[in-house]
Amino acid sequence: MSSTKPVAVALIGAGRIGASHAEIVARRLKNATLAAIADPAPGAAARLADQLECPLTYTDIDELLANPEIEAVIIASPARFHTNLAVAAARAGKAVFCEKPMALTLADAELAIAAAREAGVPLQVGFNRRWDRAFAEGKAAIEAGKVGTPQLLRSLTRDPGPFGADPARIPPWTVFFETLIHDFDTLLWLNAGARATEVYAVADALVRPDFKDKGLLDTAVVTIRFDNGAVAVAEANFSAMYGYDIRGEVFGSGGMVSMGDVRRSSMTLFDKDGVSNDTWRLDTDHFIDGYTAELHAFVASVRSGRNSGPDGADAKAALEIALACIASVTERRPVALAEIRG
């Protein structure tokens, strides 16, 4: 492949996050071109392609994967399809960027990892927080020893309210598989080299208690112990009325670093109503630079053949914690990660 020719990237899944990724590839990346969009829903791919001037659309994913001009795919389908799509794309020789979660079982995680390894293609997972400037600078401070030995860590995700999703359409355990999975990866990344050893989780339906008996969990708090002695807390809620709140913190023997801010900027308004800040309301706004950076890195890995972002092993490590949380909530007890790993 020519070092100057843009990488031909295809999108699988033309929903909200897929559309955001496609727009980044089409309009923000100089090292890539949006070559195709696929979605099985009639008209979905075509509508997005029209907006972004993308030349090819498919409703049959196999037809897209058979196109020899496509070098890489971004998988942004519903989570239950991620593993099969990642495996199929890797076996077709395409580099794979897969939105989280990469898999819902450890067996499926191993399938995706093995498929990418056997095909010799990069496999990157969409843990975008690693690419956010504040989190990246926090990570650099930890690596430089500025907080000493990590002792207490915290990561939280509070989605912007009011909660407007249809609770009946939210798959079971979404709060762990699709929301807190980001926090689990962030905590593992910030506590580099450590492995989770024990998890205790509590979860409830506090936003929509009328759907609790139907399996909805919209609020959770998780305590994680690591083999280096550190203890972490992760929390999530589906409806923060003040905005999209993503934060992290690492307290250590020599200091502390905090990352993330619900405020859009440091501008503060002082007027007759008091003191106020504008806040983030969408992940695609809050993390636009992070999403761009992670996709730029993915495209660069297609050229080099070396993955520079979070990979299948990282996805599996976060998934182990999610599965331990599910067991902990179900059985109302602390769960050792050894039970999950087998």
Side-chain angles (χ1 to χ4, degrees), residues 26-194:
R27 297 177 175 168
R28 293 175 67 95
L29 298 187
K30 294 182 179 180
N31 58 344
T33 183
L34 183 63
I37 299 173
D39 194 298
R47 286 190 294 271
L48 182 58
D50 286 345
Q51 297 172 27
L52 299 176
E53 300 178 348
C54 177
L56 295 174
T57 63
Y58 298 88
T59 54
D60 187 322
I61 307 301
D62 290 336
E63 289 183 12
L64 179 146
L65 296 178
N67 184 339
E69 300 299 317
I70 303 299
E71 301 168 84
V73 297
I74 296 171
I75 298 171
S77 64
R80 64 187 182 276
F81 301 122
H82 285 180
T83 299
N84 287 345
L85 289 171
V87 169
R91 289 175 177 170
K94 317 301 184 186
V96 178
F97 179 95
C98 185
E99 262 303 331
K100 53 74 192 171
M102 183 187 72
L104 300 178
T105 69
L106 294 184
D108 277 354
E110 289 288 356
L111 279 176
I113 292 168
R117 181 178 61 246
E118 291 165 7
V121 297
L123 169 60
Q124 184 174 322
V125 181
F127 290 129
N128 57 283
R129 236 164 271 188
R130 296 187 181 210
W131 305 97
D132 178 76
R133 179 175 178 178
F135 280 86
E137 290 179 350
K139 168 74 167 176
I142 296 165
E143 290 182 336
K146 294 183 178 180
V147 303
T149 302
Q151 297 172 345
L152 298 172
L153 299 91
R154 185 183 184 212
S155 183
L156 66 84
T157 299
R158 296 175 185 163
D159 291 330
F163 179 74
D166 179 357
R169 295 175 62 86
I170 297 176
W173 307 113
T174 289
V175 71
F176 297 120
F177 281 140
E178 301 191 41
T179 304
L180 280 164
I181 198 81
H182 275 298
D183 300 275
F184 302 151
D185 176 71
T186 298
L187 293 168
L188 289 164
W189 177 61
L190 294 174
N191 194 19

